[in-house]
Amino acid sequence: MHLATARAAKFASECPRHIGRRAARKIRNQRLGSHMGTPRGLPLLGGGQDRGLAYPSPVASRSCRRQALHETSRAFLEAGPHSQQLAAVLATRLADLIGSGCIIRGPVDRAPSLPLACSHTIAGWLEALRQTFETSPHALAFACSAQAAHTRRPILLPLVSSEVLQLWTQPAARPYLDQYQVCSMLVAPIRSAQQVLATIVLWREHPCRPLGDSHALLLAEVANRIAPALSISKHRQRRQAC
């Protein structure tokens, strides 16, 4: 018997019959959460050490899935099947969602090329981003993208500073980091069964609130939903090139 199923059965046998179903379900979720920890596929790296997401409640998980379905569905409707347009629409929607910036990069093992898309809620800051990438496509948070692609796992840096990020970035990004003080960052790989197709980078600047586990769950759901479309688009491009 599956371990979680066994614990649920044990709890059912121990649970007093006089408490209501809702209360019993709440207690069961709390007990299972303390044992089960992070759902498979959602471990995070943060602060230089491995750590796990807090076990999401059923309500939180459903909320993340609904939000991810909404964002990706709207992106598909607006962009159609073209990967470049899809990335641009999705980056804009994600930037608006967190109130800051977003980059979607293609495979990190290829020659330097401009990100598939970048967006920011403030027009002047978006223009600074574009100028930075024109100078150096790998300028901002590329090391985080490479690490997420290598481990095939999300990276959450709830509290980080521009000064720290400058240690892991190319000189071309330093003017942007000097002017706009990044305080929190989240990176998630978009992966197929065979390879990492792209990475999504989200960040917030000071004095915004840090990104957290709920944002990581949401971004992981978005990445999972967007992966098949990017994979199909990539295969279509290969066939056309032949």
Side-chain angles (χ1 to χ4, degrees):
M1 183 182 295
H2 191 276
L3 183 59
T5 306
R7 290 197 178 106
K10 183 175 183 294
F11 169 75
S13 65
E14 296 174 351
C15 182
R17 295 184 179 275
H18 65 273
I19 68 172
R21 290 184 179 180
R22 185 172 299 176
R25 191 181 300 115
K26 181 177 180 181
I27 296 172
R28 173 180 172 272
N29 288 336
Q30 290 174 345
R31 289 190 183 182
L32 290 179
S34 65
H35 289 290
M36 293 176 68
T38 305
R40 185 171 298 176
L42 286 178
L44 298 180
L45 301 174
Q49 297 179 348
D50 287 345
R51 75 175 189 87
L53 285 171
Y55 182 73
S57 69
V59 173
S61 296
R62 286 195 297 270
S63 177
C64 286
R65 285 194 293 269
R66 282 196 300 268
Q67 185 70 50
L69 177 61
H70 173 74
E71 296 299 332
T72 52
S73 297
R74 295 300 303 175
F76 286 132
L77 286 173
E78 293 180 33
H82 306 290
S83 60
Q84 190 79 35
Q85 296 177 12
L86 180 61
V89 172
L90 186 61
T92 299
R93 296 192 66 86
L94 290 174
D96 290 342
L97 186 66
I98 66 163
S100 197
C102 176
I103 305 168
I104 300 181
R105 281 194 171 97
V108 298
D109 55 350
R110 295 183 180 176
S113 60
L114 290 174
L116 293 174
C118 65
S119 185
H120 202 289
T121 52
I122 301 176
W125 297 15
L126 175 58
E127 184 58 30
L129 265 180
R130 288 172 175 164
Q131 292 176 2
T132 298
F133 289 130
E134 288 174 0
T135 303
S136 177
H138 287 177
L140 186 62
F142 180 78
C144 294
S145 291
Q147 179 69 7
H150 175 70
T151 61
R152 299 172 66 90
R153 296 163 59 176
I155 297 173
L156 173 61
L157 301 172
L159 296 174
V160 71
S161 67
S162 287
E163 289 76 12
V164 170
L165 288 175
Q166 286 185 15
L167 300 175
W168 301 93
T169 194
Q170 293 184 359
R174 289 174 183 170
Y176 182 90
L177 292 173
D178 284 338
Q179 187 171 0
Y180 309 108
Q181 294 297 307
V182 175
C183 66
S184 189
M185 183 168 285
L186 170 62
V187 187
I190 303 175
R191 59 186 188 272
S192 65
Q194 293 80 23
Q195 63 181 136
V196 174
L197 304 168
T199 54
I200 306 176
V201 183
L202 298 179
W203 70 92
R204 280 178 170 169
E205 291 97 354
H206 184 78
C208 294
R209 295 178 61 184
L211 297 166
D213 288 344
S214 61
H215 300 102
L217 287 168
L218 172 61
L219 193 59
E221 286 285 346
V222 168
N224 289 337
R225 292 179 183 277
I226 212 75
L230 292 185
S231 182
I232 291 171
S233 177
K234 183 176 181 179
H235 289 310
R236 186 185 297 116
Q237 291 173 358
R238 283 181 176 176
R239 288 197 301 269
Q240 292 174 350
C242 293

